[in-house]
Amino acid sequence: MSYNATRKAPKALGLFAAGLLAATGLVAVTTVLPSTPATAQNQLQAAAIDPSRGFADLVDRVMPAVVNVQVKFANAAATGEEQGGRQLPNGLEEFFKQFPQFRNGLPGMQGHGGEEGRQRGGMGVGSGFIISADGYAVTNNHVVKDADEVSVTMKDGTEYKAEVIGTDEKTDLALIKINGEGKTFDYVAFTKDEPRVGDWVMAVGNPFGLGGSVTTGIISARGRDIGAGPYDDFLQIDAAINRGNSGGPAFNLEGEVVGINTAIFSPSGGSVGIGFAIPAAVAENVIASLKESGTVTRGWLGVRIQPVTEDIAESLGLAAAKGAIVSDVTEGSPALAAGMQQGDTILKVDGKEINDSRDLSRKVAQLKPGQSIPVTLVRDGKTMDLAVKIGTMPSDPKMASKDGGSGQGSLSLSDFGLKVAPAQDGAGVVVAEVEPGSPAAERGLKAGDVILEVAGTEVHQPSDVRAALKDNTKKRVLLLVKTEDGQRFLALPTAKG
């Protein structure tokens, strides 16, 4: 959990996320509740801050609710590997000789697993913020994970012990409770407004263990998927975020929490203006569940899904490449009980449009288990609704999740560089050979893959494949293919294309 820790980002970005993974705030908090009348007058002001006049008033309003989080570990002595094996530049070495209290926070040290703030002697630091008057606070799972002791330090330097109420690894959120013995704490509220690109934000946290610090910027983008978890939906902000900021809040000009500072992309571990925060709307459900039961209960549909590409949309006759196509249905799942089938394209869940497979995963997870909801889908060119009773996601997730495949593929006989043979068990046809450079090879089909369906029709012999392709009238034909990674759909261009 070192603020010197790093978290790897997707390879495509060529960067890494530097040990800052999300925290959240509590649901149903609608205003700031101060501990003194003087603070109340400032914190309950409805007027937004004017950025042209600076952010000092906003800082005064929200800073009392932001805390530094310190953790202790029984078995976490730092090693050369945890420190990244890096030597300090001469300038930094001289600095830490003069200010040894900051040595454990130096950015040259690198931890493991994205943990934040882990220091020599099994210590760690991070950030958090209070979300209720009785001392519930939010930080990151990776800040308090495996901690034996947790404490928080307030703006005035007062230190309190805290206990971990619950954590959620999938969103990297944690809820802690400050042991204040009847004290009423200042706290902050989550915004109910939808954040917009270009909105001002102010980030508050504990970078490098230095103590409470403030930076400002704007929301640069929304809906970012950085590969941190299955429900990535990050706000991208350009307010400076550094190691140790994990779990700290990002405020709007009204003093409401719009996001929880989570991760950065950086070649050096320091801020380069690309930071990520979990939106308040995502965090609220998780924190509410943690407060209620100490765990997170998510809705479960029980399908394996993949994106609808332009090729697949064309082969299905869809107007746009939206929704998620079902490549497999789990035995004993709510989806199977409702009559969902392979090849169904899910367009709406509970009346809400589905943009892609990630969107479906998030929306299903947020549904309350036990409720019956309508699912709008396309099957064989016809739009229909199924009533699905949402289940509880198993701990071993057989859930609605993204398929690792890209949804692109190619299959045909010799015209497409492909030879097939009957499968030994009679289920589908086996790809015996793929010609290098052919459409089949370009779309990732390889020897050993099994074709189960062509244009919605089960195939058992090579002649079945030829017949399905011959009868196809579209520019692309959809195939259901089973690989070593699971089942997925591939759109095959025909001669008509």
Side-chain angles (χ1 to χ4, degrees), residues 21 47 70 89 100 105-106 111 154 173 205 315 377 408 424 433 450 466 479:
L21 303 174
Q70 302 90 40
L106 66 129
M154 316 299 290
L173 304 176
S315 68
L377 53 84
Q408 293 182 341
Q424 290 184 354
E433 183 179 337
V450 179
R466 288 192 292 268
L479 310 172

Side-chain angles (χ1 to χ4, degrees), residues 10 55 129 135 289 303 312 341 388 397 448 452 487 492:
F55 296 86
F129 57 98
S289 187
V303 292
I312 290 177
Q341 301 176 7
V388 182
L452 300 175
Q487 295 181 180
L492 169 71

Side-chain angles (χ1 to χ4, degrees), residues 354-435:
I354 301 300
N355 293 321
D356 51 33
S357 53
R358 279 198 305 129
D359 191 30
L360 177 62
S361 296
R362 290 195 299 265
K363 282 185 169 64
V364 170
Q366 292 171 4
L367 294 172
K368 185 177 181 180
Q371 67 181 103
S372 183
I373 56 98
V375 175
T376 303
L377 53 84
V378 173
R379 179 186 298 170
D380 298 330
K382 298 179 181 179
T383 302
M384 58 189 298
D385 285 331
L386 295 179
V388 182
K389 186 177 181 180
I390 297 298
T392 300
M393 184 182 296
S395 55
D396 179 18
K398 301 171 183 177
M399 59 182 183
S401 61
K402 290 189 297 180
D403 191 354
S406 66
Q408 293 182 341
S410 167
L411 176 65
S412 177
L413 298 178
S414 57
D415 289 343
F416 297 93
L418 178 70
K419 292 182 179 180
V420 298
Q424 290 184 354
D425 60 2
V429 293
V430 178
V431 177
E433 183 179 337
V434 179
E435 182 181 341

Side-chain angles (χ1 to χ4, degrees), residues 129-145:
F129 57 98
I130 303 172
I131 42 93
S132 69
D134 55 352
Y136 282 96
V138 173
T139 186
N140 284 129
N141 169 62
H142 74 269
V143 171
V144 298
K145 179 182 178 182

Side-chain angles (χ1 to χ4, degrees), residues 451-474:
I451 302 164
L452 300 175
E453 294 182 5
V454 176
T457 302
E458 290 186 359
V459 293
H460 305 280
Q461 301 288 337
S463 58
D464 296 339
V465 178
R466 288 192 292 268
L469 291 174
K470 180 180 179 181
D471 294 338
N472 181 72
T473 59
K474 298 178 181 178

